[in-house]
Amino acid sequence: LAAERLPPLLMKTVGQKLDKGEYICKGGDYDAKLVIVLSGTVEKLVGDSPLGGRCVVRRLTRGDCEGLPEFLGLGGTQQRTCALRAGEEGAHVRYVARESLVALLKQTVPAEDEDDDPVPRWPKEIAWFQSLAIDRIDALPHKAARELLNFQSLRGTTKLDFMSLDAQSMFRIDNAMGLTVSGPLPEGIEERYYFDGQTVIRPGVQGDCLVMILRGDVEALVPEGCGGQCLPRQYMASGKGSWLGDGRRPDPNTPLTCSSRTGNPQAPPDEAKREAWEDFIVKKNEEVMYTSLVKVADIKRARRKLTAAAEDGRLDLSDQKTTDWRWSWDDPRCLQVLDILEEHKLLSEHGQERADEVRAHLNPPKPPPPPVPQAVLGSGSQVGHLALLGVPVVFSGVLRARGPVHVVILHRHVLLEAIADCPERELFVPNGITQEDWVDVLSQPVVRQDDPNARPAHLGPNTGPPMHTSHAVKSEPKAGTYEAWAAENMQFGGIPGADALDLVLLNAIKGYALIWDLIHDAPPKLLKDIVRQFEPRWLLPNETLVADEEPDADFLFVVIHGNFVVTLEGAEIDHIDQGNVQGAAQLLKLNEWTRTVVVDPTNKGEAMIQVLKRSKLVKTLDDHPLPKYRLREVEDLLRDARKADWRILKNIPAFGNISDRKFLQRVYKDADIRLYCPGDYLAEAGDPAPSLIVLLAGKLRSEQAQTLFYVELGRGDWCFQNNILGIEPQRAHDVVAVTHAMVMVLYRHTLLNAVVAYPCARSAVLDNETWRTESSVPRLSSLRVFEKVPEPVVARMEAEAAPRYFKQGSIILGVGSTVEDDMLLFLLRGEVKVSILGIETRRLGVGDVIGVHRFLGLDAPPSNAEIMATSACDVMAVRRSTMLEALSEEKYEDDLAPYKNAQRVLGGGDILDAFGFPIGGGSKYSPQCIEKSEVFKVCSEQFVAQMPQLVEEMAFWPGEKLFSQGDVGHFMFFIKAGRVRLEVLGRRKHEIVGGGAVVGDMAALEQVPCHTETAYAETHVWARMLHRKLLRRALSSFPEEEKRLLGAASAGLGG
């Protein structure tokens, strides 16, 4: 009805009024209505929620709503997971029934053609609410929230299962006769729903809970100026209340910041932008008169010039009704007028200023691109482990929803109440480390068993040395974990987690010679002052701590909690964790950062560091002459390192025959330069390390463990040439610093990058890599893809291929990426694993290839899989351009016919017989072999449309086996192009299937115990391979699809 025909809406009669303490719902209720607060307050409670709840986790006020997960049917449940009751002053609420929404969305209207079925009345709204359900294959079900009740702040450490504690009675999964009584979540856990752009975690507010993402993504925006380093980040809490976003609608008058996308970043209004906008509105209503742009004496001349321009068709004056011609600021003709007047030099000084303003108004500068979030957290990610321990975690950037997000939350006050009578509560309640405790810890004597200065120089190193300190540290449980707290007779046994993390800093100060040698005999006041100068920072997985060559980054940092990845020129070179100290050379201003440090993408939650700025250290030492003198003495000792340049590489035999200065400059530029303290081990015998070290300043000692043999190294000396050339995979001896030393570390991957950039040095370097001539190293000609390719072409591809090296744990190919320039990666040494959604699907070894489809020029999508090196890998990256040149040469036309045949068949072209004629039945190319598969015929379009994200693209050559009869059915194969022959033992006639068919599905669906056939590639075959673990993972996010799919398979509807 039209608005005027509707009856008047009496607001007092809308909704329901509730008295103080009156319940709207309780946990476990089958109640899917949306609750909207009109006035008053509503309390949300968890813990014994079927009985009314024990802990208030949220207070809703006017405009807030609750119950979105149930209202939207997330995870297929409509059962309450909390209790809602009116607050102190009562509440006035309104309900929106899910049934009403469903009924609306089911409405239809007649189709344009009378013979067609009715069409939905609200197609856009249907799509909108489908998107809000976040039905994604990577989504987690409600039961995954059980992980919040297994406290594990670091991966690989012992978990503390709160539900198994005898003295707690809150955390439980309440089941009765197979049904959940208290809802789909464990008791004590809250769930919340956020729309795109809404704040999930507020910046500048101290953490008070642990958050886990079940569905959707959360992005962490980096504050301005913090992209390359963490130093400018806020670390002190400036806001009050919970750090959780309230999910409210943004003020429509508040301009968006940090993003061009719609949503609610909930940032304070930018006054400068507001003024600019108001100024724009004012100017929009202003006008430009030509008489105001020129001097009075030039008005007549200006009029003649404009009239002449109108007669020539350059200006339209038809709408000018008066003699004082004028135009609106928004009229593009303003620019024409200004150009004409400027052309004839008629603009006055005031006119020129106004002309600049008009041009800026009509041609505003492009807005800066939105910042790229450094961290994007997906399903299963957790944030807030340290907050549970009582650490004052503060993020300086907002964490907001990237699309709709469903999260579950364990509040700290709920946890403390639940385990109030448990001894494990001590782990989460810090006592605090006082300044007097700082002095007591730092005053204890330091014993460095592996310090080479601990023995007189004439005796040489110890024989039968004790275990390296680094090994002892690795065997100690990490501070801040349940494992460390529960470990008796260990350093952190029985110490609350937050206090243990404070001790990590004190231990690092004592254990790091550069700092400790300055203050080891300092008075208590200086000790306190030094500790006070350290500032905490908290970062999320994949966030950058500091970037290579980042300016104004003269600071040192100590890793307090979490794992970090160190990269150099885009490749991993190291992993560092608790207690590790980095940045000594930068603290002393000896050189800029030559490495990039980021939080490990697999880190479980936030990481923590403590930062010491040079300015604060120098200022603290100003009133203490002796420590200040010691600092200057170290700087003077290492100052020679600044004089080093690429010429120092000429002393190394591997580079002795290379005359190309640019190559050596590139190698030197890409090196990692670090400072080591006396007693630091640069290398330990037996450790894998693909690098060479060159001493720039100070003294090192190369020693053989448990012997009297050692060699002292001085400036310009080097060692481990065989490591960088790949001849030896492990260190042959120890290297330890005698004095403070500046060392240049050359890595194998940067050396090979330089070889690619400067081919003139290729033979001089690669000829020294003697392992390449060993019989165990595969040859390019052994690959089926190059079968019958002429030897000169193969030799040319090998000569022009780019050598690559990947350290163990390095990502060779990431999700959503392709091999650079569609090159073919040929594995010469090592092993890699292929995984999708964190599930390993297979392993590749020596002789295998990556990227064959795109190398052949096929339209293959970016990789769904992450390919990681499980051991050190040497790879030959074969250039596609080399093969394209060979294909264009007429002399190779006949020889390359098999290669072209593979391209044609895999691309869906004709399958030819031995005489070059298409075989009977022709070819069938099925790009939608998954979407139109009989296997998924009973599944919803929304589910099936996401299945291509889980497959691997495989290519098989004629005669190759896909699987054998009797094998376990790990994969099913969707045939996109080519033909597959199915053989059964004892059956004479073989079955041939082509594009669009599925093989191996019944075994992969576990409808039969193993494959009942053997599958061979009859021709070249492009198959899309789906692992059954990935199918199970996807079905866990779509429980209804699981019933349909497995039920259909059992009924014999499989492919």
Side-chain angles (χ1 to χ4, degrees), residues 389-441:
L389 293 173
V391 177
V393 181
V394 174
F395 293 125
S396 57
V398 64
L399 274 70
R400 70 182 187 187
R402 189 178 191 177
V405 174
H406 181 213
V407 303
V408 287
I409 304 152
L410 173 59
H411 292 266
R412 185 168 184 267
H413 72 277
V414 174
L415 171 64
L416 295 181
E417 180 172 336
I419 62 173
D421 298 325
C422 304
E424 288 79 6
R425 188 177 189 272
E426 297 176 4
L427 173 62
F428 302 93
V429 182
N431 298 320
I433 304 294
T434 66
Q435 295 188 18
E436 286 66 30
D437 295 331
W438 297 351
V439 175
D440 290 343
V441 173

Side-chain angles (χ1 to χ4, degrees), residues 1005-1043:
L1005 290 170
E1006 300 179 75
Q1007 302 303 302
V1008 293
C1010 58
H1011 287 300
T1012 58
E1013 302 164 312
T1014 298
Y1016 291 97
E1018 180 75 3
T1019 65
H1020 294 89
V1021 174
W1022 183 344
R1024 311 191 76 183
M1025 192 167 69
L1026 174 63
H1027 199 287
R1028 68 178 180 184
K1029 288 183 180 179
L1030 289 169
L1031 178 59
R1032 287 287 184 183
R1033 171 67 179 81
L1035 291 174
S1036 70
S1037 302
F1038 292 82
E1040 292 300 319
E1041 304 298 334
E1042 184 174 17
K1043 297 175 185 176

Side-chain angles (χ1 to χ4, degrees), residues 417-677:
E417 180 172 336
I419 62 173
D421 298 325
C422 304
E424 288 79 6
R425 188 177 189 272
E426 297 176 4
L427 173 62
F428 302 93
V429 182
N431 298 320
I433 304 294
T434 66
Q435 295 188 18
E436 286 66 30
D437 295 331
W438 297 351
V439 175
D440 290 343
V441 173
L442 295 177
S443 298
Q444 296 175 7
V446 176
V447 178
R448 296 180 187 159
Q449 295 180 340
D450 57 351
D451 187 346
N453 292 324
R455 284 170 62 86
H458 70 281
L459 293 180
N462 289 322
T463 57
M467 180 173 61
H468 291 142
T469 302
S470 59
H471 294 167
V473 171
K474 290 175 184 176
S475 63
E476 180 87 13
K478 302 296 183 185
T481 63
Y482 169 68
E483 185 177 349
W485 177 84
E488 297 182 2
N489 302 320
M490 287 290 200
Q491 184 178 5
F492 304 112
I495 299 177
D499 295 345
L501 295 178
D502 287 341
L503 291 177
V504 171
L505 173 62
L506 300 179
N507 292 340
I509 292 173
K510 286 184 62 177
Y512 195 58
L514 177 66
I515 301 296
W516 187 243
D517 288 351
L518 302 178
I519 61 171
H520 65 276
D521 55 356
K525 182 181 182 302
L526 178 56
L527 295 179
K528 294 177 184 178
D529 288 343
I530 288 291
V531 177
R532 273 198 296 265
Q533 303 318 308
F534 281 86
E535 301 172 354
R537 297 290 190 277
W538 294 273
L539 302 100
L540 291 167
N542 212 42
E543 283 196 323
T544 300
L545 193 161
V546 66
D548 179 16
E549 299 181 359
E550 181 70 16
D552 302 323
D554 51 347
F555 65 87
L556 169 149
F557 70 87
V558 181
V559 178
I560 303 299
H561 183 83
N563 300 302
F564 292 78
V565 177
V566 182
T567 64
L568 180 67
E569 295 300 311
E572 293 183 9
I573 59 172
D574 198 7
H575 285 251
I576 58 177
D577 57 9
Q578 191 172 95
N580 194 282
V581 182
Q582 299 272 309
Q586 290 68 40
L587 185 73
L588 300 183
K589 283 209 163 186
L590 294 173
N591 64 280
E592 292 184 341
W593 286 89
T594 55
R595 44 177 43 197
T596 297
V597 184
V598 301
V599 183
D600 192 328
T602 64
N603 194 69
K604 194 168 184 180
E606 68 275 22
M608 178 182 177
I609 61 171
Q610 290 278 2
V611 175
L612 176 62
K613 303 176 186 177
R614 175 180 172 84
S615 58
K616 287 198 169 187
L617 175 64
V618 172
K619 185 176 181 180
T620 303
L621 298 181
D622 271 348
D623 298 329
H624 301 273
L626 183 56
K628 186 176 180 179
Y629 170 76
R630 291 169 178 166
L631 179 64
R632 188 175 303 159
E633 194 175 36
V634 174
E635 292 174 340
D636 292 341
L637 172 67
L638 303 177
R639 206 170 299 279
D640 284 347
R642 293 182 177 180
K643 302 176 183 178
D645 61 11
W646 61 273
R647 295 177 183 83
I648 201 169
L649 300 177
K650 298 290 290 184
N651 300 327
I652 303 171
F655 304 131
N657 295 329
I658 299 175
S659 58
D660 190 338
R661 184 182 69 179
K662 291 184 177 180
F663 170 80
L664 295 177
Q665 287 175 333
R666 168 69 180 265
V667 173
Y668 181 82
K669 174 183 174 295
D670 292 346
D672 186 28
I673 299 177
R674 297 194 61 198
L675 186 153
Y676 290 90
C677 302

Side-chain angles (χ1 to χ4, degrees), residues 183-240:
L185 290 179
E187 275 297 328
I189 301 296
E190 183 199 2
E191 65 178 337
R192 292 196 189 184
Y193 187 97
Y194 294 94
F195 291 95
D196 179 35
Q198 287 185 330
T199 296
V200 178
I201 293 181
R202 299 162 56 201
V205 180
Q206 184 172 323
D208 58 352
C209 60
L210 173 62
V211 181
M212 176 179 177
I213 303 169
L214 291 186
R215 294 168 179 262
D217 298 316
V218 172
E219 60 183 7
L221 295 186
V222 180
E224 186 175 353
C226 300
Q229 58 162 299
C230 66
L231 206 58
R233 297 192 179 199
Q234 177 182 0
Y235 65 95
M236 297 290 288
S238 58
K240 296 181 180 180

